[in-house]
């Protein structure tokens, strides 16, 4: 049985009387320990699916099940221990006035977990940051280091599912590769399930077992990694996306 | 450099306590580099010392009247700042009055911003009906002239210093609520709030621990700007007989008492006016310096 099952999901935002249908009838399922990618251009609704899972977007149709159970609304604490998210922009996702220590110990405090000091030190070590960074503020860190902190924060509650919202698009190329490798290592070490959003097929190719191509809020085509590498997609849109990033995929 | 400063300056502190003390120490170093802020701190410290030792510092009894010595000009032997219309030494009254002034300022500066920030952040964070109701109540408070509303409150509660403080605090929170709400609206949809919500944090934790720290700088600026106004409203209430009662040496009340002699015996109103001016200037400078120190984004420099 799949760990994440999304059936016929629709998300509609209402702003000033106008309705924007961000996601229309998308279905997907992600198996345990699988890494699943969502690709598409800006505004294709891929990030909205992640936000809908987290209860941060208005679901107007369809169901989301995790481990066979439909999600409760509001999501609740059990959900936080099962699903966590890494945001796109590491400059916006860490509280500017909290030290790294505070940022990492907050989830422990919320869930009343003991052993804060040891866990925070271990978390920094797991994402390859020196313990000396513990009491620094986010503005004293580089973009790549901040994203590592954000990953460490997402793993504090030891979730089984990690939602990744373009985790490397705000970073420069060399740091991107490091961060992706870190994520891959953590996935194998901890047996995590990834649901990852990107507009970059090269990143998806490096990370994911299966990909869903999206356009205008609809699913276009689902591809396995082998199909993607062999350029065996059947729709024109997927082929044009592939053409746009093909040269960089050869490098990796 | 001593072992203590070395320990405080350690770039990779070993414990939470060391990190916090180290940050305070670096903050103090930054604060010390700002001469105006240091001047403000000196004024506020002086006010604290004077208030603490008032009975020993005051050369005369601030309430004892001596009509033979009324309205002596400044620099008279024994009365460096002159005497008022009842022959009371103005210097002694200023020194004793610093206690009352400090009491009023502290209470108002703690209660009003805190309450305003609570209302503002709650309204901004929850939005919708909560926001509508809280902000319309704020509008009602804002629509009244401050002094009139304070008057009405004191009239209901009865005259006295505590009630005056309460009335001032109750009338001065709306601007803080407005400022805090505006700041909250800019941070409530940010990723770091979404992240902590996703970790299962409740509204109280998010508002207190994550939203309020972002509102603090703008609120602190407003507080320091409002200091002088607070002293003056307290004075106004005293003048109308609803605040601090007459024989008590409150600075604002002293100004209003001196108003009658403003043209012939200028010092009676000028001396407490100068005291209010210096103290509010001190608080303004101190607040400016504090704001710079409290923002950790400046600490890298």
């Amino acid at each position: 049985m799949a760990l994440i099952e999304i059936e016929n999901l629709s998300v509609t935002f209402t702003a000033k009387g106008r309705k924007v249908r961000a996601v229309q009838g998308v279905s997907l399922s992600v198996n345990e320990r699988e890494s699943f990618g969502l690709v598409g251009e800006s505004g294709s609704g891929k990030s909205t699916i992640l936000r809908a899972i987290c209860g941060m977007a208005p679901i107007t149709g369809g169901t989301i099940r995790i481990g066979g159970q439909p999600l409760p609304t509001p999501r609740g604490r059990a959900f936080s221990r099962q699903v966590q998210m890494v945001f796109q922009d590491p400059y916006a996702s860490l509280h500017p006035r909290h030290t790294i220590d505070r940022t990492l110990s907050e989830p422990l405090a919320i869930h009343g977990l003991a052993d804060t000091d040891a866990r925070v030190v271990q978390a920094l070590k797991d994402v390859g940051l020196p313990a000396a960074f513990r009491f620094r503020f986010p503005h004293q860190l580089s973009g790549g280091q901040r994203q590592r902190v954000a990953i460490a924060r997402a793993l504090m509650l030891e979730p089984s599912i990690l939602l990744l919202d373009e985790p490397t698009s705000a970073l420069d190329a060399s740091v991107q590769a490091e961060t992706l490798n870190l994520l891959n290592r953590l996935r194998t070490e901890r047996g995590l399930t990834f649901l990852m959003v990107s507009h970059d097929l090269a990143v998806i190719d490096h990370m994911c077992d299966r990909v869903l191509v999206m356009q205008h809020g609809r699913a276009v085509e689902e591809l396995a990694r082998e199909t993607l590498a062999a350029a065996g997609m059947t729709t024109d849109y997927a082929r044009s996306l592939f053409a746009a990033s093909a040269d960089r995929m050869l490098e990796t | 450099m001593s072992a203590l400063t070395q320990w405080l300056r350690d770039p990779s502190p070993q414990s939470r306590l060391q990190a916090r003390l180290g940050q305070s120490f670096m903050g103090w170093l930054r604060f010390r580099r700002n001469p105006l802020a240091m001047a403000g701190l000196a004024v506020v410290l002086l006010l604290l010392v004077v208030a603490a030792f008032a009975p020993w510092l005051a050369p005369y009894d601030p309430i004892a009247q001596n009509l033979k010595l009324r309205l002596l000009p400044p620099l008279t032997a024994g009365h460096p700042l002159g005497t008022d219309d009842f022959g009371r030494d103005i210097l002694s009254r200023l020194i004793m009055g610093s206690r009352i002034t400090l009491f009023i300022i502290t209470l108002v500066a703690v209660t009003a911003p805190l309450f305003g920030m609570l209302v503002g952040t709650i309204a901004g964070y929850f939005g919708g009906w909560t926001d509508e109701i809280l902000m319309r109540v704020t509008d009602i408070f804002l629509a009244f002239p401050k002094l009139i509303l304070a008057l009405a409150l004191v009239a209901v509660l009865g005259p006295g210093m505590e009630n005056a403080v309460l009335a001032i605090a109750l009338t001065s929170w709306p601007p803080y609520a407005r400022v805090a709400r505006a700041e909250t609206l800019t941070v409530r949809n940010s990723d770091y709030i979404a992240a902590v919500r996703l970790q299962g944090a409740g509204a109280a934790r998010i508002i207190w621990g994550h939203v309020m720290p972002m509102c603090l700088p703008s609120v602190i600026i407003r507080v320091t700007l409002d200091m002088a106004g607070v002293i003056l409203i307290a004075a106004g209430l005293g003048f109308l007989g609803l605040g601090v009662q007459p024989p008590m040496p409150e600075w604002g009340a002293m100004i209003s008492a001196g108003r009658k002699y403003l043209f012939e015996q200028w010092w009676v109103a000028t001396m407490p006016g100068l005291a209010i001016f210096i103290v509010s200037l001190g608080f303004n400078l101190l607040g400016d310096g504090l704001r710079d120190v409290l923002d950790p984004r400046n600490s890298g420099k």
Side-chain angles (χ1 to χ4, degrees), chain B residues 236-256:
Chain B
L237 286 178
F239 174 60
L240 293 165
L242 295 169
V244 177
Q245 296 302 300
M248 295 274 278
E250 200 267 325
W251 293 355
M254 288 167 70
I255 295 187
S256 42

Side-chain angles (χ1 to χ4, degrees), chain B residues 51 102 201:
Chain B
L102 199 63

Side-chain angles (χ1 to χ4, degrees), chain A residues 92 95 98 101 106 111 139 153, chain B residues 16 192 199 209-210 217 296:
Chain A
H95 198 289
H98 288 173
D101 178 62
E106 193 76 358
H111 290 263
H139 69 270
R153 171 179 62 188
Chain B
R16 209 162 278 151
Y192 53 85
Q199 285 160 357
H210 297 257

Side-chain angles (χ1 to χ4, degrees), chain A residues 82-113:
Chain A
Q82 195 170 26
V83 182
Q84 279 295 318
M85 181 154 158
V86 176
F87 294 84
Q88 175 175 8
D89 182 3
Y91 291 88
S93 70
L94 300 178
H95 198 289
R97 284 168 172 274
H98 288 173
T99 58
I100 306 307
D101 178 62
R102 171 98 192 261
T103 300
L104 294 183
S105 50
E106 193 76 358
L108 301 177
I110 292 166
H111 290 263
L113 300 176

Side-chain angles (χ1 to χ4, degrees), chain A residues 51 54 56 77 79-80 83-85 87-89 92-99 101-103 105-107 109-111 116-117 132 134-137 139-140 153 157, chain B residues 11-17 19-20 23 190-202 205 208-211 213-214 216-217 291 294-300:
Chain A
R51 293 189 167 260
C54 297
M56 296 189 282
R77 294 198 172 180
F79 176 81
S80 338
V83 182
Q84 279 295 318
M85 181 154 158
F87 294 84
Q88 175 175 8
D89 182 3
S93 70
L94 300 178
H95 198 289
R97 284 168 172 274
H98 288 173
T99 58
D101 178 62
R102 171 98 192 261
T103 300
S105 50
E106 193 76 358
I110 292 166
H111 290 263
T116 312
D117 286 329
R134 186 174 163 200
F135 296 104
R136 297 205 182 160
F137 285 98
H139 69 270
Q140 295 166 315
R153 171 179 62 188
L157 294 173
Chain B
S12 47
Q14 298 306 311
S15 67
R16 209 162 278 151
L17 176 76
R20 202 159 293 156
Q23 277 156 20
S190 64
D191 281 352
Y192 53 85
I193 300 293
V196 73
R197 202 178 296 158
L198 192 56
Q199 285 160 357
R205 175 182 285 271
W208 185 262
H210 297 257
V211 174
M214 301 307 287
L216 212 54
R291 189 201 55 214
L294 286 178
D295 190 346
R297 275 166 291 189
N298 294 331
S299 62

Side-chain angles (χ1 to χ4, degrees), chain A residues 47 50-51 85-89 163-167 195 197:
Chain A
S47 294
L50 295 196
R51 293 189 167 260
M85 181 154 158
V86 176
F87 294 84
Q88 175 175 8
D89 182 3
L163 307 176
L164 303 161
D165 187 1
E166 309 217 24
L195 180 54
V197 158

